[in-house]
Amino acid sequence: MNHYFTTDDITDLPDWLERGRALAQDPISLSHLGAGKTICLLFFNNSLRTRLSTQKAARNLGLEVMVMNVGSDGWNLEFEDGVRMDGGTAEHIREAAGVVAQYADLIGIRAFPGLKDREIDLQERVLKGFMEHSGIPVLNMESATAHPLQALADALTVDQFQIASGQAGQAIPSGGKVPKVVLSWAPHPRALPHAVPNSFLRIFRRMPVELVVTHPKGYELSSWAMGELKPTYDQQAALKDADFVYVKNWSSYSDYGKVLTEDPSWMMTADKLGHARFMHCLPVRRNVVVEDAVLDGSQTLIMEQAANRTVAASLALSHMLR
Amino acid sequence: MNHYFTTDDITDLPDWLERGRALAQDPISLSHLGAGKTICLLFFNNSLRTRLSTQKAARNLGLEVMVMNVGSDGWNLEFEDGVRMDGGTAEHIREAAGVVAQYADLIGIRAFPGLKDREIDLQERVLKGFMEHSGIPVLNMESATAHPLQALADALTVDQFQIASGQAGQAIPSGGKVPKVVLSWAPHPRALPHAVPNSFLRIFRRMPVELVVTHPKGYELSSWAMGELKPTYDQQAALKDADFVYVKNWSSYSDYGKVLTEDPSWMMTADKLGHARFMHCLPVRRNVVVEDAVLDGSQTLIMEQAANRTVAASLALSHMLR
Amino acid sequence: MNHYFTTDDITDLPDWLERGRALAQDPISLSHLGAGKTICLLFFNNSLRTRLSTQKAARNLGLEVMVMNVGSDGWNLEFEDGVRMDGGTAEHIREAAGVVAQYADLIGIRAFPGLKDREIDLQERVLKGFMEHSGIPVLNMESATAHPLQALADALTVDQFQIASGQAGQAIPSGGKVPKVVLSWAPHPRALPHAVPNSFLRIFRRMPVELVVTHPKGYELSSWAMGELKPTYDQQAALKDADFVYVKNWSSYSDYGKVLTEDPSWMMTADKLGHARFMHCLPVRRNVVVEDAVLDGSQTLIMEQAANRTVAASLALSHMLR
């Protein structure tokens, strides 16, 4: 059973990147793969990019697609076992997952964390519930702790614009050295999840890049995300000679789900960016996370990242269909 | 004009069951039937199983599908004739039904009862409004008084697991006697409609089974549902030597829409179930309606019932397409 | 880049009407045109007719369709440039439009006016934002100031039922004179937009008809809508010898967005209608805008107008695909 729950489900990353390059050139080359099969996309939370790019990828693979906003269209789900369901939940994940699998060959799920209770969020009850009880492959369309479609699109984008491999086009770094990729925290008025930085780091730790993480004190990410990496609290030092700068807000992990600072000096600017390419997963708050000059300038890769979301979803779905 | 409004629209039930067995084996064998045609599924209420299984069945028949949550996506509808529409309703059923029929060849409707006014609920204004004013075949995806897709799936499931006919596989009752099927009321914290028990009884009264209904006093169903049947108020006696036990809550019909008791002694347990197969239409509240041991045990047929929803919808749609 | 933003995007109206007659006869004759392409329909507001007829037309053209309720499914959009997005908007139109274009070849947008601030509504920020920033053709599915799909369907309907051209069937006016078409304001309890009357007048000023507009004082439409036309405040005089009467409410344009009167004497009646055909875009409030006798009588063309919505959308989409 091939799920795509985290980027760790990618065994051979170079092979995925190579197949991604081919799919970017010929998006419907695998249209036989899903013929006669159906995917059900279940949204517990809002979505624009993921909703559209996953539908597009699924259709490119020949899959039938059924989209459902579970929160508003369906029933409140219970995830605890052994509970007496006399409250607000009308259906247990055991039944819901099993039932959806009667009508679909694949399931995609989006379910954000509550950011209130770290232990509960880390349990990934929605995604794991569907993986355990549906009996069919599950696609993570952003869960409490991981956004592996975004991370794969990001890896595809850096692969596309780097030269270290000698395989892709518009080069930035010169010579044989690997590109320097910096993940730089940015301020934001709301508490945001850790799914994007987690998955970004999980996949980029496997990429042929020099990886640097910078954020204010108190925003240290989990050891699952960081591994052997150590953050620097000096953004300016971190950004020096960067080839790709990936900007993203997240809330505190130690003081879980809290906004500790909105310090505007951490906003990305054209001046700070230097010659690097700019990356962001979107949606992005202009002039809070990054200034207009960067988003509207020539070094931004945000549309390339968005385009690669379709490629990433195609790769994940073809993995699940095998 | 072939509607599928109640199970009474099934003229030859044995023929439907036989064709159901064939469709279960080869779900896309009728994919030519709906080619070039479109069904519009209109949801006035939430739906998981019905939404997905009807879409799946429609696609299996080659139909184009348009899904719409009328409550949130469209306009509030007026069902009274002759009224001056200066209040909260923006469109009359006469226009809405006629308009949908300009874009679709078939319509599916889900519209629950209010459970406040029995006379109004019995009028089935939404379903009957669309049947009267659209001029095209209408599929009942659960209305105020009937859920004929569920009931047909239930009949297919019993047919599949019984031996009386000598046609289906995994036998339970031995000898030539017909299986004993028991509809057993269960407690529930909310007031639920009568659509499921009504349609269950309407179709099972035509099946080659011994049919028994048990519930607390005050929960007597309508004569349309019961016919010549008399309920027993002794659950233990009713369950004796049962082959199939169908558990379901409903609110009072005489004291309309009221929850008269939540007596937990009516909950189904493994002990009460004995050797019988367990059935429920879902969603089900665990340890309120039925205990975990039954749902997680080997005698449950709930996933087979859910799978047969696609077969039932395929049969209903193919009837409408004729 | 071919948008369909207003009916002014129709260069050769007689050619469109002629092709519309052909499409009405053979709706799938252009099914090759959209093959391998995708349209994304974004709804910022409710929709029944437009939602279904545009989907139907798109499928008839062979397009893949993705439907999204932006308000409830996605993120609140920012339309101001240079703003610091630290409030309620999470994504800028620049990014949202660019992103959708990564997954679709065409975009359809519905975005009603606020009817609070005329200058803001006239800016058409949603539609123009997508036209400016998506880089792909945009379909107006009703915006602040225009509803060109409805207006084209209305023109097709009059074309279908008139004889002046000698090309279409069921004649009303006799002799060689052009038909008299009257736009007659009607009362309504809510403040409604100007999109429908605006587009109706923009397209009918180009039709071979005698065009008359009648409404109470204070309901004068913009010069963009009226051109050289002068309204009459005498409904009875306006309706004399009419061949087609198009009834519609709108709020005041000068006292912007206000309901100045709900005078019931402006309601359309069978008596006032005389021998004319009755038209309305729907949804319509019965016995407020028009009495039952008209809607249920033989002179109404409302279902023909609704059917022509599919033809109009097909024409607009085929224009955009060129």
Side-chain angles (χ1 to χ4, degrees), chain A residues 46-49 51-53 55-56 59 69 190 282-288 292 303 306-307 309-310, chain C residues 38 40 64 66 68 72-75 82-87 89-92 94-95 98-100 102-103:
Chain A
N46 285 19
S47 173
L48 171 66
R49 269 152 291 277
R51 182 184 294 264
L52 298 179
S53 62
Q55 278 187 73
K56 183 72 179 287
R59 293 300 293 146
N69 295 320
R190 304 265 172 90
L282 304 181
V284 65
R285 284 170 178 258
R286 284 174 167 253
N287 304 311
V288 174
D292 282 343
M303 287 304 148
R309 289 294 304 272
T310 308
Chain C
T38 300
C40 181
E64 294 286 334
M66 299 192 293
M68 204 178 143
S72 56
D73 297 351
W75 313 106
V83 73
R84 191 167 173 274
M85 288 170 58
D86 56 357
T89 56
E91 178 144 43
H92 198 280
R94 287 172 176 266
E95 276 73 58
V99 161
V100 173
Q102 304 304 318
Y103 315 128

Side-chain angles (χ1 to χ4, degrees), chain A residues 6 23 34 84 95 101 135 153 171 197 210 233 236 266 268 280 282 306:
Chain A
T6 73
L23 271 172
R84 191 167 173 273
E95 277 73 56
E210 177 193 350
Y233 305 121
Q236 191 179 350
W266 278 83
M268 187 54 50
H280 192 282
L282 304 181

Side-chain angles (χ1 to χ4, degrees), chain A residues 171-246:
Chain A
I172 292 173
S174 60
K177 83 171 181 60
V178 298
K180 178 177 177 182
V181 175
V182 182
L183 173 63
S184 183
W185 181 93
H188 195 284
R190 304 265 172 90
L192 296 191
H194 309 94
V196 168
N198 282 352
S199 289
F200 177 85
L201 291 172
R202 291 296 294 179
I203 202 166
F204 274 84
R205 281 163 49 198
R206 300 164 66 185
M207 293 280 286
V209 301
E210 177 193 350
L211 187 57
V212 174
V213 181
T214 183
H215 56 70
K217 285 191 184 174
Y219 281 95
E220 289 75 13
L221 290 160
S222 68
S223 59
W224 181 67
M226 294 291 283
E228 301 294 310
L229 284 173
K230 300 292 168 210
T232 166
Y233 305 121
D234 179 344
Q235 189 188 37
Q236 191 179 350
L239 293 172
K240 189 169 183 323
D241 297 328
D243 297 302
F244 297 88
V245 175
Y246 197 98

Side-chain angles (χ1 to χ4, degrees), chain A residues 17 25 67 70-71 88 103-104 121 127 168-169 172 189 221 253 262 294 318:
Chain A
L17 294 175
Q25 296 303 314
V67 179
V70 186
Y103 314 129
D121 287 351
L127 266 286
I172 292 173
L221 290 160
Y253 183 74
E262 298 183 45
V294 173
S318 65

Side-chain angles (χ1 to χ4, degrees), chain B residues 38 40 64 66 68 72-75 82-87 89-92 94-95 98-99 102-103, chain C residues 46-49 51-53 55-56 59 69 190 282-288 292 296 303 306-307 309-310:
Chain B
T38 299
C40 181
E64 293 286 334
M66 300 192 293
M68 204 177 145
S72 56
D73 297 352
W75 313 107
V83 73
R84 191 167 173 272
M85 288 170 56
D86 57 356
T89 56
E91 179 144 42
H92 199 279
R94 288 172 175 267
E95 277 73 57
V99 161
Q102 304 303 317
Y103 314 129
Chain C
N46 285 19
S47 173
L48 170 67
R49 270 152 290 278
R51 182 185 294 264
L52 297 179
S53 62
Q55 278 188 72
K56 183 72 179 288
R59 294 300 294 147
N69 295 320
R190 304 265 171 90
L282 305 182
V284 64
R285 285 171 178 259
R286 283 174 168 253
N287 304 311
V288 174
D292 282 343
D296 300 330
M303 287 303 147
R309 289 294 304 274
T310 308

